[in-house]
Amino acid sequence: RQALAQSRSVQVESQQKLADLQNRHHRTSERISILQELEQSLEGLGVGVKEIVARAKAGGNGALTLIRGVMADLLTVHVDYAPALDIALGEASQLVVVTGGLAEVQQVAAGAGELPGRVTFIGAESNATNPIKRAPEDFATQEGVIGRASDLADAPPQIQPLLERFLGNTWLVKTLADAVRLRSEIPEVSGLRLVALTGELLDEHGA
């Protein structure tokens, strides 16, 4: 009986581990699927951005090898948060990220030549920063708050400073009503951007 009980215990433990692995795989697949769709379609990108990214992915020579990709393409997010984070990024989602700083950006811009439409390059090691407005310590536990945008996205280590720069002052909430309520109830929130999963943005000025 003891051997049978041990066998059943091992079986239950193995089933639990299998379930955990399946859940982890499912969550990973949800996150990866966004990147795959972006890479395949480049949907929503400007003509010039599409062209330069396509040239870089096709094995561009010289300075084009420094192109890491489009900002939105370098972030991995949960499928449920992707639309809200895209709103939070705004035009920054189409920035073409370059390995290095200003000197490398200038090399890539020169090597790209004339491109249709507007294309903005940014260095992964860009020194420009936005001051981070700190939320109250208990803000993350407030009703309706999902989390800080930069904490809900994953990026390569070299891209983390850009992630903080563009999403560090932004928090995701469930609804616009939650955003308005939090802004009115907590004065310290006035310097933060609040983006609702329903698609609305309440910027730091309350607009």
Side-chain angles (χ1 to χ4, degrees), residues 77-149:
V77 301
H78 191 282
V79 65
D80 292 342
Y81 306 144
L85 288 174
D86 186 50
I87 292 171
L89 279 172
E91 292 185 358
S93 65
Q94 296 205 33
L95 291 173
V96 178
V97 181
V98 174
T99 298
L102 179 59
E104 287 74 17
V105 167
Q106 292 173 336
Q107 291 178 33
V108 171
E114 292 188 11
L115 295 168
R118 178 183 175 185
V119 179
T120 303
F121 300 100
I122 187 169
E125 299 173 12
S126 173
N127 293 325
T129 59
N130 292 336
I132 302 299
K133 171 73 175 180
R134 297 298 176 187
E137 290 186 4
D138 63 343
F139 186 64
T141 62
Q142 296 291 321
E143 182 181 354
V145 174
I146 296 172
R148 195 165 72 110

Side-chain angles (χ1 to χ4, degrees), residues 5-151:
Q6 290 178 343
S7 176
R8 287 177 176 174
S9 176
V10 170
Q11 182 181 12
V12 170
E13 183 179 353
S14 297
Q15 290 174 339
Q16 182 61 49
K17 288 182 178 180
L18 176 60
D20 291 342
L21 286 172
Q22 288 174 334
N23 287 335
R24 190 179 306 171
H25 173 72
H26 178 64
R27 291 195 299 269
T28 302
S29 297
E30 286 180 327
R31 301 174 77 88
I32 290 176
S33 65
I34 299 172
L35 284 181
Q36 289 174 336
E37 290 176 6
L38 281 171
E39 289 174 351
Q40 290 171 4
S41 67
L42 293 179
E43 184 177 359
L45 296 182
V47 176
V49 176
K50 287 183 181 180
E51 179 177 320
I52 193 63
V53 170
R55 285 166 56 186
K57 289 185 175 181
N61 297 321
L64 297 190
T65 60
L66 296 173
I67 293 178
R68 295 291 303 272
V70 181
M71 182 68 179
D73 199 10
L74 296 172
L75 304 183
T76 309
V77 301
H78 191 282
V79 65
D80 292 342
Y81 306 144
L85 288 174
D86 186 50
I87 292 171
L89 279 172
E91 292 185 358
S93 65
Q94 296 205 33
L95 291 173
V96 178
V97 181
V98 174
T99 298
L102 179 59
E104 287 74 17
V105 167
Q106 292 173 336
Q107 291 178 33
V108 171
E114 292 188 11
L115 295 168
R118 178 183 175 185
V119 179
T120 303
F121 300 100
I122 187 169
E125 299 173 12
S126 173
N127 293 325
T129 59
N130 292 336
I132 302 299
K133 171 73 175 180
R134 297 298 176 187
E137 290 186 4
D138 63 343
F139 186 64
T141 62
Q142 296 291 321
E143 182 181 354
V145 174
I146 296 172
R148 195 165 72 110
S150 58
D151 296 333

